C-alpha cells in the first residue's frame, strides 16, 4: 500500500505550515526582546520565572513517581467501576501492564543515563547554553516543538500504511481507560520524541521548563484516554459552554480523543482517521484533521483485531504473531488503518449536536 498523491500533497503542504509553527514562538520571543530592550543572554535577565521550592518539588515528584501513582489510582477506580468487565482478558492485561512498566523502568532510565553521558562528548560546549531563555518563553517553545512533533509522528503512523503496525497496538483494545495512554509497541516508544527531548533540553539548560511541559502534557493525555468523561459538564452546563468551546479546540479531551479510538466512522462520532492531537487538539484544527462532536463512541478498537499474543503486539517485528492472516504475523498483510467506506468529516452543526473542524 502506498500514500496516494492527494494525501502526499496535503502532508507536504501541512509540513511547510508546521515549519512556520515551529519558528513562531521563537520569533515572537526575540520580537518581545526587541520591543522591551531585553537581552537575557547578556545577563540582563530581569524577568525570569522562579517558582517557590515546594512547587518545583511537586513537579519533580510528579514527573518521577507521582504521575504513575495517579494513573494507577484512577485505573483502579475504572476497574472497580466495571470499565473492563469481560474485556480485560489475560492477554490484554499482560500487554497493558508490560506497556506501562517497561518504558518507565527500563527505556526512560536507560535513555536518561546514557543520554547525559553521551551529550557532553558530542556537544561539550553546549551544556546550559540556553539557560538564559526566560521560563515562560522556554515553556511555550518546548510545548509547541514537542507536541507538534508528536502530532506528526502520530499522524504519519496512520497515514503511511507501512508505519501503521508500529502504532496498531495502541488502537487494538476494545475499551478506553488509563491503561491506553501507555499501550504502545516498543519500537513506537523508542522513537517517541519526548523520550529524548527532556534529556537533551535538561543538558542545554531548559530542564525546568521541559519538566513542566512533560507533567502538564501527561495530565492532559492521560485524561484524554480516561473512561471518565470529565469534559461533559463543559458541553451541558450553560455558563461553562464558552469555556468548553475553547477547551475542546485547544487540548485533547475524552470526547475528541475517544473518537480517534473508535472502531468505526459510520456513526458520525468515531474518527480514527483524524483527531491526532496529543496535548494540543489545536493542530487538528489548523490542519483540518479533526472533528468535534461532544459525544463518545459506543465501541472501540480495530474491527479485524485477532487479539494477537501480547509479546507480538509489544515487540513486533522482533517477535511475530502465530495467528494466520494477522498483520503482525510473518509476511502479514499491510492493511493500514483503513476500513471500507470511510466517510468524510461531518458538516457544521449547532453546538447541541456535531461541530466539525475539518
Amino acid at each position: 500500500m502506498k500514500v496516494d498523491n492527494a494525501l502526499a500533497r496535503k502532508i507536504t503542504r501541512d509540513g511547510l505550515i508546521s515549519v512556520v509553527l515551529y519558528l513562531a514562538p521563537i520569533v515572537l520571543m526575540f520580537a518581545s526582546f526587541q520591543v522591551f530592550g531585553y537581552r537575557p543572554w547578556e545577563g540582563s535577565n530581569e524577568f525570569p520565572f522562579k517558582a517557590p521550592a515546594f512547587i518545583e518539588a511537586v513537579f519533580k515528584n510528579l514527573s518521577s513517581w507521582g504521575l504513575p501513582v495517579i494513573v494507577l489510582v484512577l485505573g483502579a477506580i475504572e476497574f472497580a467501576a466495571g470499565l473492563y468487565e469481560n474485556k480485560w482478558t489475560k492477554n490484554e492485561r499482560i500487554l497493558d501492564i508490560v506497556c506501562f512498566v517497561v518504558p518507565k523502568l527500563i527505556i526512560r532510565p536507560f535513555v536518561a543515563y546514557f543520554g547525559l553521558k553521551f551529550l557532553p562528548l558530542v556537544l561539550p560546549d553546549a551544556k546550559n547554553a540556553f539557560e538564559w531563555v526566560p521560563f515562560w518563553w522556554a515553556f511555550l517553545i518546548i510545548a509547541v516543538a514537542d507536541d507538534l512533533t508528536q502530532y506528526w509522528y502520530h499522524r504519519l503512523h496512520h497515514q503511511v500504511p507501512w508505519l501503521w503496525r508500529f502504532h496498531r497496538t495502541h488502537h487494538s483494545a476494545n475499551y478506553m481507560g488509563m491503561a491506553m495512554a501507555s499501550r504502545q509497541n516498543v519500537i513506537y516508544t523508542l522513537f517517541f520524541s519526548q523520550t529524548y527531548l527532556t534529556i537533551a533540553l535538561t543538558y542545554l539548560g531548559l530542564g525546568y521548563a521541559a519538566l513542566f511541559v512533560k507533567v502538564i502534557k501527561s495530565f492532559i493525555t492521560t485524561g484524554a484516554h480516561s473512561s471518565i468523561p470529565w469534559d461533559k459538564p463543559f458541553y451541558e452546563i450553560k455558563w461553562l459552554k464558552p469555556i468548553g468551546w475553547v477547551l475542546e479546540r485547544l487540548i485533547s479531551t475524552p470526547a475528541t480523543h475517544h473518537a480517534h479510538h473508535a472502531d468505526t466512522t459510520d456513526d458520525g462520532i468515531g474518527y480514527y482517521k483524524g483527531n491526532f492531537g496529543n496535548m494540543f487538539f489545536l493542530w487538528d484544527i489548523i490542519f483540518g484533521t479533526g472533528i468535534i462532536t461532544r459525544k463518545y463512541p459506543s465501541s472501540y478498537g480495530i474491527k479485524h483485531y485477532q487479539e494477537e499474543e501480547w509479546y507480538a503486539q509489544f515487540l513486533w517485528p522482533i517477535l511475530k504473531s502465530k495467528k494466520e492472516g494477522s498483520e503482525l504475523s510473518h509476511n502479514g498483510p499491510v492493511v493500514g488503518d483503513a476500513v471500507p467506506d470511510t466517510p468524510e468529516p461531518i458538516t457544521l452543526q449547532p453546538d447541541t449536536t456535531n461541530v466539525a473542524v475539518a
Side-chain angles (χ1 to χ4, degrees), residues 75-90 92-93 96 174-177 227 298 300:
I77 294 172
E78 291 178 333
F79 185 82
L83 163 66
Y84 301 103
E85 297 176 352
N86 298 322
K87 301 173 184 177
W88 216 27
T89 64
K90 181 180 179 181
E92 297 296 297
R93 186 164 60 250
D96 286 348
N174 62 349
Y175 50 84
M176 284 294 286
S227 64
S298 58
Y300 302 96

Side-chain angles (χ1 to χ4, degrees), residues 28-188:
L28 287 173
M29 177 181 73
F30 281 104
S32 72
F33 292 169
Q34 184 67 28
V35 170
F36 295 105
Y38 184 40
R39 302 288 185 272
W41 57 88
E42 295 177 355
S44 58
N45 202 356
E46 301 171 7
F47 310 109
F49 172 88
K50 182 62 179 176
F54 78 91
I55 294 181
E56 184 172 356
V58 167
F59 270 78
K60 285 182 177 178
N61 288 330
L62 282 172
S63 179
S64 57
W65 59 266
L67 281 171
V69 169
I70 291 171
V71 170
L72 288 172
V73 170
L74 293 176
I77 294 172
E78 291 178 333
F79 185 82
L83 163 66
Y84 301 103
E85 297 176 352
N86 298 322
K87 301 173 184 177
W88 216 27
T89 64
K90 181 180 179 181
N91 187 68
E92 297 296 297
R93 186 164 60 250
I94 294 174
L95 177 60
D96 286 348
I97 292 172
V98 168
C99 289
F100 180 79
V101 171
V102 171
K104 291 175 176 59
L105 295 186
I106 299 177
I107 295 176
R108 289 172 191 166
F110 180 88
V111 170
Y113 178 79
F114 286 99
L116 292 176
K117 294 285 186 181
F118 176 73
L119 287 170
L121 296 177
V122 295
L123 299 170
D125 299 324
K127 184 174 177 61
N128 295 327
F130 294 104
E131 63 180 350
W132 55 266
V133 179
F135 172 83
W136 288 115
W137 281 115
F139 178 89
L140 178 62
I141 292 168
I142 294 168
V144 169
D146 172 62
D147 203 60
L148 183 54
T149 300
Q150 190 176 342
Y151 165 86
W152 274 108
Y153 188 62
H154 186 192
R155 175 176 167 177
L156 291 174
H157 276 77
H158 279 269
Q159 296 185 333
V160 178
W162 69 269
L163 288 174
W164 162 247
R165 286 183 286 188
F166 295 106
H167 183 54
R168 180 183 184 271
T169 300
H170 188 62
H171 284 265
S172 61
N174 62 349
Y175 50 84
M176 284 294 286
M178 294 296 172
M180 293 301 299
S182 57
R183 179 178 169 131
Q184 297 282 10
N185 175 280
V186 71
I187 304 298
Y188 187 94

